[in-house]
Amino acid sequence: MNRTMLLAVTAALTVGLTGCGQGGKDGAVTLLNVSYDPTRELWKDLNEKFTAEYEKTTGVPVEIKQSHGGSGSQARAVIDGLKADVVTLALWPDTDKIRENKLIHDGWEARLPNRSLPYVSTIVFVVRQGNPKGIHDWQDLVKDGNVEIITPSPKTSGNGKLSFLAAWGAIITKGGTEAQAKEFVTKLYGQVPVLDPAARGATTTFAQKNIGDVHLTWENEAYHEIKEFPGLEIVYPKASFLAEPHVAVVDGNVDRKGPAARAAAEEYLKFLYTDEGQQIIGKHHYRPTQPGAIDKFPQLKKIDLFPITAFSGGWAEANKKFFGDGGVFDQIYQPKAK
């Protein structure tokens, strides 16, 4: 079924529902999208396009509100009562933790194409103009011990977790041992002067406060950073972590609002897979996942992207091993004395 047909079916459903007052004031629907920190610009564009198309096709006005923060903190907020209708978080375990708390139905990954991944991303480096420290790959971060590294906290930030896992995996996937990987990340975090709680805060520290020599960040955030703050440039390592920011409807919340909200929330996420949605995603330097979509964005360089399963049994194991209380990160990181 093509998108026009899908929206026609939705229109028929929502027209009937709004007559029953289930669509909100004057038939309008309000949705809350709880997302991770550096996605503000992406969702602003997506929301504008989707709401205009949805109202034109169905006659139902939709207002989409946004909430942004560290991915782990955002997941906890939803579990604690933040009334998200959809979540678009940085990490699979953050979304699945909401499922564990009975707010998202089992099998949520299978509801949308590509395991509910309309886009993927990775971790790259942002350096000062001219790359004065000669940083080209992961080992260059620690080779002399004089590179100051900015990255957010793995305890609260999806960016933080992904940067840690990218560094760890860069050693393991090249044949290194776990002991060598642990030695590498120990050196790396020994050169981190401050751990911001979320991705955009780390951008401010590096680009606005001018602290650090290199910033480990989302690929999309790197492009935002060099656009907003002249004098910076992006370096792609030879390999990095495959970041998978899943999307999901928060069933427990949306169903309490009624079928009109359910219909709008589902169409909202389906919109991400349309040609228009994929174009907006690529324009904001995320990697669209529909066949052929990424080919329109050659600036998103082809590098080796390794998944979580390249060095662990999956997210449940990795979360506990690396970021749980007493895990690898707690073992290797000592906060800087104030």
Side-chain angles (χ1 to χ4, degrees):
M1 186 181 292
N2 63 31
R3 178 159 185 82
T4 301
M5 292 173 65
L6 281 170
L7 282 172
V9 172
T10 302
L13 174 64
T14 51
V15 167
L17 292 172
T18 54
C20 300
Q22 296 182 25
K25 184 178 179 181
D26 298 324
V29 173
T30 299
L31 300 178
L32 174 60
N33 176 359
V34 173
S35 194
Y36 59 104
D37 199 38
T39 61
R40 293 166 176 81
E41 295 79 15
L42 171 68
W43 290 111
K44 180 177 183 294
D45 276 4
L46 286 169
N47 293 349
E48 288 176 359
K49 294 294 184 181
F50 170 75
T51 54
E53 179 179 334
Y54 193 79
E55 182 172 5
K56 179 180 178 181
T57 308
T58 68
V60 179
V62 179
E63 179 185 7
I64 301 175
K65 297 181 179 180
Q66 288 295 137
S67 173
H68 298 274
S71 187
S73 301
Q74 291 288 81
R76 174 49 56 188
V78 174
I79 292 166
D80 289 344
L82 181 62
K83 301 301 183 184
D85 298 292
V86 300
V87 287
T88 56
L89 299 173
L91 304 176
W92 178 88
D94 293 335
T95 304
D96 204 58
K97 180 65 70 175
I98 300 171
R99 177 199 62 81
E100 290 177 5
N101 282 266
K102 311 301 183 183
L103 289 170
I104 295 176
H105 295 332
D106 292 345
W108 62 269
E109 283 181 272
R111 293 190 209 171
L112 291 165
N114 194 39
R115 297 172 37 245
S116 292
L117 285 166
Y119 56 86
V120 296
S121 191
T122 192
I123 296 296
V124 300
F125 308 153
V126 179
V127 299
R128 307 294 174 190
Q129 193 166 40
N131 194 7
K133 293 296 179 81
I135 298 166
H136 303 287
D137 208 356
W138 290 96
Q139 290 287 1
D140 295 328
L141 299 175
V142 301
K143 62 183 178 182
D144 297 321
N146 66 347
V147 174
E148 197 169 56
I149 301 162
I150 301 301
T151 182
S153 172
K155 290 290 190 176
T156 55
S157 165
N159 182 167
K161 282 185 172 68
L162 295 171
S163 294
F164 180 99
L165 294 171
W168 183 276
I171 304 302
I172 298 295
T173 59
K174 298 301 181 183
T177 65
E178 288 213 345
Q180 290 171 326
K182 189 172 184 178
E183 179 184 8
F184 177 70
V185 295
T186 300
K187 290 179 180 177
L188 190 156
Y189 283 90
Q191 296 168 209
V192 175
V194 58
L195 286 175
D196 290 290
R200 190 55 61 87
T203 297
T204 298
T205 295
F206 182 75
Q208 194 168 333
K209 297 181 180 178
N210 205 35
I211 297 172
D213 302 301
V214 58
H215 179 200
L216 313 186
T217 190
W218 291 95
E219 183 176 32
N220 60 283
E221 183 71 357
Y223 279 96
H224 168 80
E225 195 169 350
I226 65 171
K227 178 182 177 181
E228 294 296 316
F229 301 96
L232 303 174
E233 58 189 70
I234 298 172
V235 172
Y236 278 84
K238 294 177 182 178
S240 193
F241 191 79
L242 175 62
E244 297 184 317
H246 295 270
V247 301
V249 172
V250 184
D251 300 287
N253 291 339
V254 77
D255 285 343
R256 277 191 287 271
K257 294 172 70 171
R262 158 72 67 178
E266 289 182 347
E267 282 298 321
Y268 180 41
L269 296 187
K270 290 174 185 176
F271 173 75
L272 305 177
Y273 294 88
T274 65
D275 289 345
E276 186 173 25
Q278 293 280 284
Q279 178 69 26
I280 294 170
I281 285 166
K283 185 186 78 170
H284 284 277
H285 306 102
Y286 298 78
R287 295 177 176 240
T289 57
Q290 289 295 84
I294 196 172
D295 297 337
K296 300 174 183 177
F297 303 96
Q299 70 273 27
L300 302 175
K301 294 184 179 179
K302 293 182 179 180
I303 62 173
D304 291 334
L305 297 178
F306 49 82
I308 190 70
T309 52
F311 52 84
S312 81
W315 270 109
E317 176 187 311
N319 240 2
K320 181 178 180 181
K321 175 179 178 177
F322 295 113
F323 310 119
D325 290 342
V328 174
F329 182 73
D330 285 349
Q331 296 167 26
I332 65 100
Y333 179 71
Q334 297 296 323
K336 300 291 184 182
K338 294 183 179 180

